[in-house]
Amino acid sequence: MLVGAYLHGSAVLGGLRADSDLDVLAVSARETTHAEKQKIASGLLAVSGNRSRGDARRPIELTIVAGSDVRPWQYPPRRDFQYGEWLRERFERGDPDLFRPTIDPDIAILITMVRLGDVTLTGSAAGTTFDEVPQRDLVEALVADIPALIDDIDWDTRNVVLTLTRIWHSVVAGRIRPKDAAAEWALERLPPEHRPVLVRAREGYLRGNESWEDLRAQVLPFAHAVVAEIEASRG
């Protein structure tokens, strides 16, 4: 049933950091059943690390797509299943919505990273499993994430700051780079008043921790400035 499994995210874009998840995209020959999803979720709940518990193991993010939903490529793509630590409590209480396939533009981003990294854990090589995602679809998927990112900025500040920056770079340059590299690129282009927020996020990404108390009032203005740059870059 498994066509292949592939690394993406930090593991293939610049290397895993102290707080990095282990990100895997798996392709199945068909949609998984509800019972199969429950079994997968149960296994991941047991082995995926959880930072809130002080667990030393890495958190795992697993996304599953059916082969027919991604090849031939069509946008927006469909996701069969996803597990991540931000969903742990919902999985523990058996939220039925987590076991239903859904439209997910993010799949375009994951496939782009998988093809770029080209790290196959098992099965067919990424280049033969996935079609190339057109640039217009990648940009559409990246921009679709922005409202949710802004909603999460208070509790997931570092990730949101760096992700917005990487979206900006990707829209301009047409490719996805590691978060710290995209931050370096953006620092040369940001007005001075917004640079401290990005410097703090980049340092936290590289070192694994940071405090935002002294910069909290500057975070949202930074985000709005970067979103404005993204919109201007799209034309």
Side-chain angles (χ1 to χ4, degrees), residues 1 28 30-34 36-37 40 64 80-81 99:
M1 186 182 79
S28 59
R30 57 164 176 78
E31 286 187 4
T32 54
T33 66
H34 185 84
E36 288 168 338
K37 289 182 175 75
I40 293 167
I64 301 176
D80 183 42
F81 176 79
F99 299 91

Side-chain angles (χ1 to χ4, degrees), residues 32-114:
T32 54
T33 66
H34 185 84
E36 288 168 338
K37 289 182 175 75
Q38 287 180 312
K39 186 174 181 180
I40 293 167
S42 177
L44 288 168
L45 284 168
V47 301
S48 177
N50 186 281
R51 296 186 188 100
S52 66
R53 300 195 310 255
D55 199 326
R57 295 172 297 181
R58 285 197 182 275
I60 297 171
E61 179 182 319
L62 172 67
T63 305
I64 301 176
V65 294
S68 60
D69 285 334
V70 294
R71 194 168 193 186
W73 173 253
Q74 53 188 336
Y75 188 88
R78 194 167 184 256
R79 183 186 75 218
D80 183 42
F81 176 79
Q82 186 172 63
Y83 176 90
E85 279 303 306
W86 72 95
L87 298 171
R88 173 175 283 270
E89 291 185 2
R90 291 176 63 190
F91 273 111
E92 288 176 336
R93 66 174 186 263
D95 186 338
D97 288 341
L98 297 176
F99 299 91
R100 299 186 181 106
T102 186
I103 296 296
D104 185 359
D106 267 2
I107 299 300
I109 304 171
L110 305 193
I111 290 175
T112 299
M113 287 193 287
V114 163

